[in-house]
């Protein structure tokens, strides 16, 4: 941009001030620097500022009084973020063209409706508006048009036609999509509704690819890559070990797999199949520790689609359906990773097909109550009856899928509570020593 000298540190106030036209104390620092056009001295102005709900940036502007050459660019004052960011804005009104935009030099801007794209590193970083980005693109295309008209009229005519499309976008006669994709995570599109959510703006954070890391000059340590590959291989691999069938005690194999549940945590699924007697069993274990707080999850079942929700019921979780006056204590059915429909079928089989409530010893009234319970469970699964399904897990290791994630689910309520002494006693936490256990009686012997 220009050759500048050293910038003395700012004293007597914050280094980065909020971006505001009302801040009279926010004056840029002026430095005499060399013009790269006429090689005479000009003035570079540096403004260290903070954009609300974003981060700190450095705005630099150079002006030469001799040749009138000027240049403006921005630089991020922070580091490259852990994840890349993609802003997708539906431009529907003329006011949307005035939204402030921070576009770094490694960001790509795109308007899919007209197949328009500004590749990464093709422009310097800029603090502007959406209209300013379009104007900048128009100015760049018009720059060499006189030469093109003399050399190739067809190419110049097509570029003129495309410039016309860009200028029409500024009038917002029809809606279009504006996308900024920045692997460094330092670009920004203004949300005029902040801190509330902007319905027209979608912000997506993503993990960079190896090519994007190389483009930004980031090289991960080889040891970290090997460790990450080992963990990823472990997640993708099904482990198998020898065991005995719990029914016939014949030798069998148990398969074990690590599974990451979205928006929750990692769990371990174990399944055993016996080739001798055909017995099958599966069990789910939490891949983490007992949570500091217990969890109570309440789902209002209103539609048959609720039956497809994924559910993780740990072995410390109890189940309650108030409309059926039904409660299943912790430990029953063990740990399960299934759907809501699958768990309701297991509950139905557990109650209706209980051998201690069937046969000659069972009374007709008891059998009728069990069959009525089975019919109501079936009505819930078919969507003919609304009900509340409650998971209460003192260990905090159960989960019910939020189909609206990452937004809130209107029919799902998650409460966290402090465990009672009795619940801690049942989980074995009251007698557990995590500090100073080395000096106990066992170690002294």
């Amino acid at each position: 941009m220009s050759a500048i000298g050293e910038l003395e540190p700012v004293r007597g106030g914050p280094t980065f001030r909020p971006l505001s036209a009302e801040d009279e104390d926010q004056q840029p620092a002026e430095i005499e620097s060399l013009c790269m056009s006429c090689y005479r001295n000009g003035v570079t102005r540096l403004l260290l500022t903070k954009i609300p709900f974003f981060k700190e940036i450095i705005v630099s502007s150079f002006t030469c009084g001799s040749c009138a050459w000027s240049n403006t660019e921005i630089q991020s004052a922070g580091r490259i973020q852990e994840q890349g960011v993609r802003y997708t804005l539906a431009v529907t009104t003329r006011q949307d063209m005035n939204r402030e935009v921070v576009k770094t030099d490694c960001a790509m801007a795109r308007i899919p409706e007209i197949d328009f794209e500004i590749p990464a590193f093709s422009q310097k970083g800029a603090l502007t508006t959406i209209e300013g980005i379009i104007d900048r693109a128009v100015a760049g295309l018009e720059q060499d048009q006189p030469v093109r008209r003399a050399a190739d009229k067809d190419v110049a005519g097509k570029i003129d036609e495309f410039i016309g499309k860009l200028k029409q976008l500024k009038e917002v006669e029809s809606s279009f999509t504006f996308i900024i994709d920045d692997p460094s995570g330092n670009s920004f599109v203004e949300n005029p509704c902040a801190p509330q959510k902007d319905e027209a703006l979608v912000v997506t954070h993503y993990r960079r690819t190896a090519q994007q890391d190389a483009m930004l000059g980031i090289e991960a340590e080889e040891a970290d890559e090997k460790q990450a590959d080992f963990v990823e291989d472990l997640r993708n691999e099904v482990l198998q070990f020898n065991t005995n069938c719990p029914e016939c005690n014949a030798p069998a194999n148990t398969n074990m797999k690590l599974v990451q549940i979205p928006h929750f945590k990692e769990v371990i699924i174990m399944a055993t199949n016996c080739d001798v007697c055909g017995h099958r069993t599966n069990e789910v274990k939490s891949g983490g520790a007992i949570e500091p707080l217990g969890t109570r999850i309440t789902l209002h079942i209103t539609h048959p689609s609720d039956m497809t929700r994924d559910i993780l019921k740990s072995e410390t979780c109890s189940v309650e359906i108030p409309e059926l006056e039904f409660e299943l204590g912790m430990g029953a059915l063990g740990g399960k990773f299934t759907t809501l429909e699958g768990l309701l079928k297991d509950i139905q089989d557990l109650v209706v097909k209980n051998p201690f409530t069937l046969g000659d010893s069972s009374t007709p009234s008891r059998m009728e109550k069990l069959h009525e319970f089975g019919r109501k469970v079936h009505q819930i699964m078919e969507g003919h009856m609304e009900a509340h399904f409650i998971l209460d897990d003192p260990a905090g290791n159960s989960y019910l899928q939020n189909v609206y994630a990452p937004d809130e689910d209107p029919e799902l309520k998650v409460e966290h509570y402090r465990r009672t002494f009795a619940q801690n006693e049942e989980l074995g936490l009251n007698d557990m020593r995590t500090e100073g256990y080395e000096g106990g009686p066992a170690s002294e012997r």
Side-chain angles (χ1 to χ4, degrees), residues 7-139:
L7 177 64
E8 295 185 358
V10 179
R11 302 182 185 275
T15 303
F16 294 91
R17 294 180 178 273
L19 184 61
S20 173
E22 299 175 357
D23 192 352
E24 298 179 355
D25 297 331
Q26 191 179 23
Q27 298 297 330
E30 295 187 356
I31 305 171
E32 186 175 352
S33 52
L34 180 67
C35 174
M36 304 307 293
S37 178
C38 67
Y39 299 102
R40 298 179 182 178
N41 283 344
V43 176
T44 295
R45 294 176 175 84
L46 295 177
L47 180 64
L48 283 67
T49 187
K50 177 188 289 185
I51 298 178
F53 305 101
F54 185 48
K55 60 186 68 175
E56 298 86 0
I57 63 170
I58 301 173
V59 183
S60 57
S61 174
F62 174 79
T63 305
C64 178
S66 301
C67 67
W69 186 70
S70 63
N71 189 13
T72 303
E73 66 177 81
I74 70 141
Q75 295 178 354
S76 174
R79 60 184 179 85
I80 294 176
Q81 304 303 309
E82 296 293 333
Q83 294 181 318
V85 66
R86 182 184 300 107
Y87 290 87
T88 304
L89 174 66
V91 181
T92 58
T93 64
R94 191 68 179 81
Q95 286 76 15
D96 289 332
M97 301 297 293
N98 297 325
R99 291 186 186 230
E100 289 184 349
V101 175
V102 174
K103 179 186 173 298
T104 64
D105 52 0
C106 61
M108 179 271 295
R110 188 159 57 94
I111 301 176
E113 283 78 2
I114 60 173
D115 293 330
F116 171 69
E117 180 176 324
I118 302 175
F121 297 105
S122 62
Q123 292 181 351
K124 292 290 185 180
L127 170 59
T128 179
T129 62
I130 295 177
E131 183 177 7
I133 288 181
I134 295 177
D135 285 338
R136 197 175 182 185
V138 169

Side-chain angles (χ1 to χ4, degrees), residues 321-376:
I321 305 176
E323 286 78 4
L324 304 184
E325 298 182 356
F326 171 78
E327 184 173 350
L328 183 71
M330 66 170 63
L333 293 178
K336 283 186 173 293
F337 181 51
T338 178
T339 61
L340 182 55
E341 182 180 15
L343 186 58
L344 286 176
K345 284 183 177 179
D346 290 339
I347 292 174
Q348 187 181 37
D349 293 341
L350 179 68
V351 175
V352 176
K353 298 181 180 180
N354 190 335
F356 293 101
T357 59
L358 300 175
D360 297 337
S361 61
S362 178
T363 62
S365 60
R366 178 182 297 178
M367 293 182 64
E368 178 60 30
K369 288 181 180 179
L370 292 177
H371 288 309
E372 179 64 21
F373 176 83
R375 284 193 294 268
K376 289 183 177 180

Side-chain angles (χ1 to χ4, degrees), residues 59-298:
V59 183
S60 57
S61 174
F62 174 79
T63 305
C64 178
S66 301
C67 67
W69 186 70
S70 63
N71 189 13
T72 303
E73 66 177 81
I74 70 141
Q75 295 178 354
S76 174
R79 60 184 179 85
I80 294 176
Q81 304 303 309
E82 296 293 333
Q83 294 181 318
V85 66
R86 182 184 300 107
Y87 290 87
T88 304
L89 174 66
V91 181
T92 58
T93 64
R94 191 68 179 81
Q95 286 76 15
D96 289 332
M97 301 297 293
N98 297 325
R99 291 186 186 230
E100 289 184 349
V101 175
V102 174
K103 179 186 173 298
T104 64
D105 52 0
C106 61
M108 179 271 295
R110 188 159 57 94
I111 301 176
E113 283 78 2
I114 60 173
D115 293 330
F116 171 69
E117 180 176 324
I118 302 175
F121 297 105
S122 62
Q123 292 181 351
K124 292 290 185 180
L127 170 59
T128 179
T129 62
I130 295 177
E131 183 177 7
I133 288 181
I134 295 177
D135 285 338
R136 197 175 182 185
V138 169
L141 292 173
E142 289 179 339
Q143 184 175 3
D144 295 328
Q145 276 297 84
V147 178
R148 294 192 190 100
R149 291 190 183 96
D152 192 333
K153 291 184 178 180
D154 292 338
V155 173
K158 291 179 180 179
I159 293 178
D160 283 333
E161 182 181 352
F162 191 78
I163 291 173
K165 292 182 180 180
L166 287 174
K167 291 181 177 179
Q168 281 183 343
L169 292 179
K170 294 165 55 178
E171 302 301 325
V172 197
E173 295 178 355
S174 60
S175 61
F176 64 91
T177 306
F178 178 78
I179 301 173
I180 281 190
D181 192 331
D182 187 356
S184 72
N186 288 324
S187 289
F188 172 74
V189 176
E190 179 191 6
N191 173 10
C193 307
Q196 282 78 30
K197 181 181 178 181
D198 187 349
E199 298 297 335
L201 183 64
V202 178
V203 183
T204 306
H205 297 274
Y206 60 88
R207 188 177 299 276
R208 285 186 293 269
T209 63
Q211 292 81 1
Q212 288 173 325
D213 281 337
M215 180 181 70
L216 297 174
I218 302 175
E219 292 184 3
E221 296 182 5
E222 186 176 355
D224 293 340
E225 290 181 356
K226 289 182 178 179
Q227 179 69 19
D229 292 340
F230 172 76
V231 174
E232 191 63 29
D233 291 341
L234 187 62
R235 289 194 178 101
N236 294 331
E237 183 180 358
V238 177
L239 304 179
Q240 190 176 84
F241 55 90
N242 298 325
T243 184
N244 291 332
C245 173
E247 287 290 326
C248 65
N249 205 35
N253 291 324
T254 295
N255 297 324
M256 185 177 72
K257 178 77 165 60
L258 290 173
V259 177
Q260 178 66 42
I261 299 179
H263 308 287
F264 187 55
K265 61 176 69 175
E266 203 167 51
V267 298
I268 302 171
I269 299 179
M270 294 184 292
T272 302
N273 297 330
C274 179
D275 296 332
V276 177
C277 67
H279 178 73
R280 293 184 178 184
T281 181
N282 65 79
E283 190 175 0
V284 175
K285 297 288 186 181
S286 173
I290 294 177
E291 297 294 321
L293 299 175
T295 302
R296 181 182 176 89
I297 306 172
T298 303

Side-chain angles (χ1 to χ4, degrees), residues 293-297 391-398 414-417:
L293 299 175
T295 302
R296 181 182 176 89
I297 306 172
L391 294 175
D392 192 344
D393 189 356
N397 287 327
S398 293
V414 181
E415 301 172 276
H416 299 282
Y417 61 87

Side-chain angles (χ1 to χ4, degrees), residues 376-445:
K376 289 183 177 180
V377 172
H378 184 73
Q379 288 178 353
I380 294 174
M381 289 190 291
E382 293 293 326
H384 301 316
M385 177 180 175
E386 293 189 4
H388 290 81
F389 185 85
I390 302 172
L391 294 175
D392 192 344
D393 189 356
N397 287 327
S398 293
Y399 163 82
L400 185 57
Q401 182 186 11
N402 173 8
V403 294
Y404 296 89
D407 299 328
E408 291 187 2
D409 189 330
E411 305 298 341
L412 187 66
K413 182 180 180 182
V414 181
E415 301 172 276
H416 299 282
Y417 61 87
R418 192 176 299 277
R419 286 184 291 269
T420 63
F421 179 87
Q423 288 172 324
N424 283 330
E425 184 71 21
E426 195 165 3
L427 294 174
L429 299 178
N430 292 330
D431 297 329
M432 187 178 295
R433 294 180 61 185
T434 58
E435 295 179 358
Y437 57 88
E438 299 90 343
S443 62
E444 292 175 0
R445 291 197 297 270

